[in-house]
Amino acid sequence: EIMVNIAICDDDVKFAGRLEEMLIDYAKKCQIKIKIEVFLDGLELLESIKNQKELYDIIFLDIEMKDLNGIEVAKKIRSFDERCLIIYVTSYQSYAIEAYEVQPFRFIVKPSNESILYKYWEAALDKVLSDNSTFQFKYKREIYKIRLSDIMYFQSKMRVIYVYMNNGSVFKFYDKMNNVENYIEKENKMFWRIHQSFLVNSHYILKISHDCVELNNHQILFISDDRKKVISKYYRNLVIGED
């Protein structure tokens, strides 16, 4: 079952609490599993993402906060996560054009009525769920279905495929990596075969060198000689838009 990860980052405790209750209530009615984390400042949110190595699907982000405003927080988030939906929360009707640099999904202007909050939350949830391609496998008579965006990488060892998740958990099943790669290519183009034994979700690559990639959990995976050139090309295209 798919879990939708949500962060609320707002130093207005009353509004954050109201929003959290509304999201929980809506999720229960729709029978959707959600996990919500509430943060009172942007530094706390960034620290949590860094420590937990967990990306959020939807972030409700206050623009006017102490220390680090919502626009600066969003820019830092966008440096390693293009996927999450950012919904800005602001007390002003309009805001600087720089707010659009991080591709916000919606703007909520305080004070906001329940119907607007529900409307934007529903639209964000619909987009997240429609983007949730899944990977299915069978192990010991159990069928598992997990979201591709939550998989950091696949590793093949002695005909066993290990699936390493962004929350630290690991699954395994029996198959060939070529079969996994062929299936993944139909669903998600962001997985790169860096080695005969590794198929990596490029969203989790922190940096790349000539012979290895470093994931955002600081794990190092090696690139095989025959794949160095193509992986370098993929990365340049992803980071700076080269053809």
Side-chain angles (χ1 to χ4, degrees):
E1 188 175 4
I2 290 172
M3 171 77 74
V4 180
N5 290 328
I6 301 163
I8 299 171
C9 186
D10 197 317
D11 57 9
D12 182 340
V13 178
K14 187 176 179 181
F15 177 84
R18 173 183 163 219
L19 180 58
E20 182 182 20
E21 289 177 5
M22 187 210 76
L23 300 181
I24 292 171
D25 180 61
Y26 184 88
K28 284 180 180 177
K29 288 178 181 177
C30 299
Q31 297 184 319
I32 297 165
K33 291 188 72 174
I34 64 172
K35 184 170 75 173
I36 301 177
E37 298 283 346
V38 178
F39 305 94
L40 299 181
D41 66 71
L43 293 173
E44 189 182 350
L45 169 61
L46 292 171
E47 193 65 24
S48 174
I49 294 173
K50 179 181 175 183
N51 290 339
Q52 295 182 30
K53 312 296 186 299
E54 182 170 43
L55 302 179
Y56 293 99
D57 298 300
I58 304 169
I59 299 176
F60 291 86
L61 185 59
D62 187 14
I63 291 182
E64 302 90 19
M65 292 187 292
K66 299 172 186 176
D67 298 325
L68 202 61
N69 69 37
I71 293 175
E72 293 304 316
V73 173
K75 286 179 179 178
K76 290 180 182 296
I77 292 171
R78 279 288 182 252
S79 69
F80 54 80
D81 185 5
E82 291 287 336
R83 182 183 62 88
C84 77
L85 301 183
I86 294 175
I87 299 178
Y88 271 134
V89 180
T90 176
S91 298
Y92 300 97
Q93 289 290 339
S94 59
Y95 218 84
I97 194 66
E98 60 180 317
Y100 290 90
E101 290 179 14
V102 296
Q103 301 170 317
F105 182 68
R106 295 286 189 276
F107 277 84
I108 292 175
V109 180
K110 298 180 191 175
S112 184
N113 61 42
E114 295 285 332
S115 63
I116 291 294
L117 291 176
Y118 273 116
K119 180 181 177 182
Y120 288 177
W121 160 233
E122 189 175 21
L125 192 60
D126 284 347
K127 180 165 177 56
V128 167
L129 295 177
S130 67
D131 288 347
N132 278 327
S133 301
T134 58
F135 180 76
Q136 185 171 304
F137 61 92
K138 187 175 181 180
Y139 183 69
K140 290 186 177 179
R141 298 183 181 179
E142 294 284 338
I143 295 176
Y144 296 82
K145 182 182 274 190
I146 54 181
R147 189 166 56 181
L148 282 172
S149 59
D150 290 338
I151 300 172
M152 295 189 75
Y153 67 96
F154 295 87
Q155 181 177 13
S156 174
K157 289 183 190 175
M158 303 292 290
R159 297 187 180 180
V160 177
I161 302 293
Y162 294 85
V163 189
Y164 293 84
M165 308 297 291
N166 60 9
N167 63 3
S169 60
V170 182
F171 298 98
K172 67 179 181 179
F173 60 96
Y174 297 101
D175 206 338
K176 295 179 181 178
M177 187 64 93
N178 286 347
N179 294 338
V180 175
E181 184 181 21
N182 290 337
Y183 175 85
I184 296 292
E185 276 189 345
K186 298 174 186 174
E187 299 291 329
N188 191 311
K189 301 297 183 184
M190 297 307 292
F191 278 78
W192 299 348
R193 186 77 176 271
I194 67 167
H195 188 280
Q196 191 66 23
S197 301
F198 295 115
L199 182 63
V200 179
N201 186 340
S202 60
H203 282 300
Y204 295 100
I205 294 178
L206 182 65
K207 60 184 178 181
I208 187 169
S209 63
H210 177 63
D211 60 356
C212 65
V213 298
E214 181 179 348
L215 305 183
N216 62 7
N217 64 355
H218 302 298
Q219 184 172 1
I220 303 295
L221 301 177
F222 287 96
I223 306 171
S224 60
D225 289 339
D226 61 326
R227 288 177 168 84
K228 286 176 182 177
K229 189 175 289 186
V230 68
I231 295 302
S232 178
K233 181 179 178 181
Y234 286 165
Y235 192 69
R236 287 197 307 271
N237 188 50
L238 180 68
V239 174
I240 59 177
E242 283 191 8
D243 293 327

